[in-house]
Amino acid sequence: MPDGSIKQSGAYWRHHGIRRVLSAERSADTPETQGMGRMAAISGSKTGSTHLWAGTNLIRPGAKTGAHHHGPLESIIYIVRGHALMRWGDRLEFITKAGPGDFFQVPPYVPHQELNASDTEELHCVLVRSGTEEVVVNIELDPVKEPEWV
């Protein structure tokens, strides 16, 4: 890959420039967590990404995911449609809510669980991670009954 100071020919950029990934090209070939439908769009193995993984997530009405974390990866979750509740902590003892246009930032190794706040509409999110391949560590824990709102 050239540095920014080197002018490249149009032929170079034709094959090494912008990469479009159509919705239909997303792949469900990614580690899963109970209660969600993750789809990979950008990854090292799929598109040659050198720094990021990106995809989408769908959570059905009233559903919640299993507790999990993403190892050393930092995650960004953008809410496209619907309303999400996010629980986190060693016993999922904290909770917050986000809606369309909002973001969650999830640090590495933080146990968390996504919940669809609606019993009638799907929750659609865009996911971006700081590594080129998906890391999902599903965990068993004993969640508190009443998490603290943050």
Side-chain angles (χ1 to χ4, degrees):
M1 174 175 269
D3 69 32
S5 65
I6 299 172
K7 182 171 169 78
Q8 294 295 319
S9 70
Y12 177 86
W13 289 125
R14 168 111 176 59
H15 298 286
H16 299 282
I18 303 298
R19 167 90 191 245
R20 177 182 63 172
V21 178
L22 300 173
S23 177
E25 295 174 314
R26 291 176 299 155
S27 169
D29 186 22
T30 181
E32 252 332 306
T33 298
Q34 176 187 353
M36 71 171 60
R38 257 190 222 107
M39 299 286 286
I42 307 290
S43 70
S45 59
K46 183 170 176 41
T47 63
S49 177
T50 59
H51 297 289
L52 299 171
W53 179 96
T56 59
N57 185 11
L58 169 70
I59 301 176
R60 301 277 179 218
K64 63 183 178 182
T65 72
H68 62 284
H69 66 78
H70 300 284
L73 304 182
E74 185 171 17
S75 300
I76 302 297
I77 303 170
Y78 174 74
I79 311 300
V80 176
R81 187 168 57 244
H83 289 85
L85 297 172
M86 178 70 84
R87 289 184 67 169
W88 74 94
D90 291 329
R91 296 189 60 211
L92 304 178
E93 63 267 33
F94 305 105
I95 191 169
T96 193
K97 185 175 184 178
D102 295 340
F103 291 84
F104 289 123
Q105 179 181 4
V106 183
Y109 297 103
V110 172
H112 61 282
Q113 174 187 54
E114 295 97 334
L115 300 90
N116 186 334
S118 172
D119 289 328
T120 60
E121 67 177 325
E122 293 179 330
L123 172 61
H124 291 261
C125 305
V126 172
L127 312 170
V128 178
R129 305 220 198 286
S130 60
T132 62
E133 301 302 330
E134 178 71 273
V135 173
V136 177
V137 179
N138 294 309
I139 54 178
E140 294 289 328
L141 50 75
D142 180 28
V144 299
K145 291 187 191 298
E146 295 294 327
E148 175 187 340
W149 282 91
V150 178

